[in-house]
């Protein structure tokens, strides 16, 4: 099955001795450079994770706009933006602007978010769950407001004496980017939230971490999640077609440098633990090895088979050149063996 292949960067930086990304400026500028080079080698997507209060990428829209201005074909996106921290109307303006700069290539991944660096960090941003509402429910409420305003319909009463002339009727947010509403993705950590995303008409992003809901291997649980999502989409009767992405750490071993970095990942296994006192989670394995060995292992991954888009998580602190080597290795030596190219 042909697949769209993209990279996913968390945008870490540190002053550790071997880090090639030593500052926030390094992380941002190298992210742009990697996206430009990834487009040149034929990769389909450049995606970025968003974390607050951490030495990682946080505010995505300046970066997305810069990547959009420097590229012409590659999809640009997030995986994911934590909606508990977001003003959905301001976000709609930022997203509309970034999408227009990129000529409609934005694939915006949003979600309720993941375990945080600080306690209830969204409160520092001025957002508080309503009475009787959980923070996850607040995130989904923010998401529904975003989806509504991205429809582009007027909702705000115009000032009778405005500074500039208004068009007739209620006003919408500007700039408005037609088609962006159909390119919103939801990062689902459970089967139930995947079904909810389908009902809302959002595409599905499923990472290497999900709730352990059956005790089965990670890829099997993720494949079941995807099938539930697709059925819910069909039941909802949406006009546009659903897309599904999964993320994986995949490292072809072609050189001695590859071997030094990733040989230990050849024996990687699923891991289980608790995200909080009540949520048991499962974290999927990494893949590393010679291309033919990798291809056999990846062919047995049920969730990859179910998805149409595969996001390759990258060790961004190893620098642009090495990450481009990893991406090129997947494109040239692994993807053809699996029929992805």
């Amino acid at each position: 099955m042909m697949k769209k292949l993209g990279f996913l960067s968390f945008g870490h930086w540190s002053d550790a001795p071997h880090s090639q990304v030593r500052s926030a400026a390094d992380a941002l500028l190298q992210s742009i450079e990697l996206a430009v080079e990834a487009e040149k080698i034929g990769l389909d997507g450049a995606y970025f994770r968003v974390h607050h209060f951490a030495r990682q990428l946080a505010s995505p829209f300046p970066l997305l706009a810069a990547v959009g201005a420097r590229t012409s074909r590659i999809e640009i996106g997030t995986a994911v933006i934590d909606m508990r921290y977001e003003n959905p109307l301001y976000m709609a303006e930022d997203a509309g602007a970034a999408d227009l700069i990129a000529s409609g290539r934005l694939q915006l991944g949003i979600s309720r978010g993941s375990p945080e660096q600080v306690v209830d960090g969204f409160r520092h941003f001025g957002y508080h769950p309503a009475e009787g509402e959980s923070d996850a429910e607040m995130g989904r409420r923010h998401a529904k407001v975003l989806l509504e305003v991205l429809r582009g319909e007027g909702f705000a009463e115009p000032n009778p004496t405005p500074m500039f002339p208004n068009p007739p009727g209620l006003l919408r947010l500007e700039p408005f980017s037609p088609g962006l509403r159909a390119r919103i993705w939801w990062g689902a950590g459970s089967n139930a939230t995947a079904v909810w995303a389908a009902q809302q008409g959002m595409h599905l992003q499923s990472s290497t971490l999900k709730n352990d809901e059956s005790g089965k291997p990670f890829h099997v649980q993720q494949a079941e999640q995807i099938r539930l999502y697709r059925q819910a989409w069909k039941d909802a009767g949406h006009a546009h077609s659903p897309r599904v992405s999964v993320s994986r750490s995949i490292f072809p071993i072609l050189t001695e440098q590859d071997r030094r970095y990733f040989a230990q990942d050849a024996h990687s296994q699923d891991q289980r633990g608790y995200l909080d006192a009540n949520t048991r989670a499962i974290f999927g394995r990494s893949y590393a090895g010679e291309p033919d060995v990798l291809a056999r292992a990846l062919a047995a991954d049920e969730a990859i088979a179910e998805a149409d888009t595969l996001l390759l998580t990258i060790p961004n602190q190893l620098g642009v050149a090495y990450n481009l080597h990893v991406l090129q290795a997947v494109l040239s030596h692994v993807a053809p063996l699996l029929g992805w190219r």
Side-chain angles (χ1 to χ4, degrees):
M1 176 184 176
M2 296 290 288
K3 295 193 187 299
K4 288 184 177 291
L5 297 176
F7 73 79
L8 172 59
S9 175
F10 281 44
H12 296 277
W13 73 86
S14 75
D15 56 3
H18 299 293
S19 173
Q20 296 191 40
V21 187
R22 306 184 70 81
S23 68
D26 288 344
L28 289 162
L29 294 172
Q30 289 187 29
S31 294
I32 298 167
E33 184 181 352
L34 182 59
V36 169
E37 296 303 316
E39 180 176 77
K40 290 178 182 177
I41 67 171
L43 210 68
D44 301 304
Y47 287 75
F48 303 96
R49 187 67 168 89
V50 177
H51 283 107
H52 301 289
F53 298 102
R55 291 187 171 188
Q56 299 173 230
L57 298 174
S59 178
F61 292 106
L63 174 59
L64 294 170
V67 172
R70 290 281 307 279
T71 57
S72 60
R73 180 194 57 81
I74 197 168
E75 293 181 342
I76 57 175
T78 52
V80 290
I81 298 173
D82 188 335
M83 291 303 295
R84 295 174 297 176
Y85 286 77
E86 294 295 324
N87 176 326
L89 275 71
Y90 200 108
M91 183 180 180
E93 292 180 345
D94 279 349
D99 194 42
L100 290 169
I101 290 169
S103 300
R105 290 181 283 128
L106 184 60
Q107 304 287 338
L108 195 63
I110 63 175
S111 188
R112 159 243 185 265
S114 60
E116 300 178 88
Q117 296 296 109
V118 300
V119 175
D120 290 347
F122 49 86
R123 295 182 183 273
H124 294 288
F125 278 55
Y127 302 112
H128 305 272
E131 185 175 353
E133 182 182 54
S134 70
D135 63 308
E137 290 167 337
M138 178 181 69
R140 288 192 287 272
R141 170 166 56 83
H142 287 180
K144 291 180 77 170
V145 173
L146 174 69
L147 295 176
E148 181 63 25
V149 298
L150 287 179
R151 293 171 58 200
E153 296 183 1
F155 62 90
E157 183 177 352
N159 186 339
T161 57
M163 180 177 294
F164 307 106
N166 280 322
L170 299 176
L171 301 183
R172 69 185 184 188
L173 290 175
E174 301 289 356
F176 173 67
S177 184
L180 178 56
R181 169 61 180 84
R183 285 179 274 114
I184 306 299
W185 303 60
W186 184 260
S190 68
N191 292 348
T193 51
V195 168
W196 178 81
Q199 293 167 344
Q200 306 304 314
M202 290 185 283
H203 305 296
L204 176 65
Q205 290 179 334
S206 192
S207 72
T208 51
L209 178 70
K210 76 175 294 293
N211 292 5
D212 186 0
E213 300 182 74
S214 69
K216 296 177 183 177
F218 172 80
H219 72 100
V220 175
Q221 292 197 49
Q222 192 174 50
E224 292 172 347
Q225 179 194 46
I226 294 169
R227 287 190 285 268
L228 288 169
Y229 166 83
R230 292 193 186 280
Q231 184 59 53
W233 185 284
K234 181 179 179 181
D235 293 344
H238 299 301
H240 59 301
S241 298
R243 288 181 60 183
V244 174
S245 74
V246 297
S247 57
R248 293 289 187 273
S249 297
I250 300 173
F251 304 110
I253 295 179
L254 303 177
T255 68
E256 282 305 310
Q257 185 180 32
D258 298 335
R259 196 173 306 280
R260 288 197 304 273
Y261 284 147
F262 300 114
Q264 71 276 7
D265 290 325
H267 308 292
S268 173
Q269 300 292 326
D270 293 349
Q271 299 178 30
R272 288 177 166 85
Y274 283 85
L275 294 179
D276 55 41
N278 302 310
T279 308
R280 180 175 169 83
I282 182 169
F283 189 84
R285 58 167 292 191
S286 298
Y287 291 91
E290 310 291 339
D292 57 332
V293 175
L294 268 185
R296 288 195 295 272
L298 292 166
D301 189 310
E302 293 184 18
I304 292 178
E306 290 283 347
D308 57 79
T309 300
L310 176 60
L311 301 183
L312 305 167
T313 58
I314 59 167
N316 75 283
Q317 287 188 90
L318 295 181
V320 172
Y322 186 75
N323 279 284
L324 197 64
H325 159 76
V326 171
L327 297 173
Q328 182 70 75
V330 174
L331 283 173
S332 300
H333 298 282
V334 179
L337 295 175
L338 292 160
W340 297 347
R341 279 292 187 271

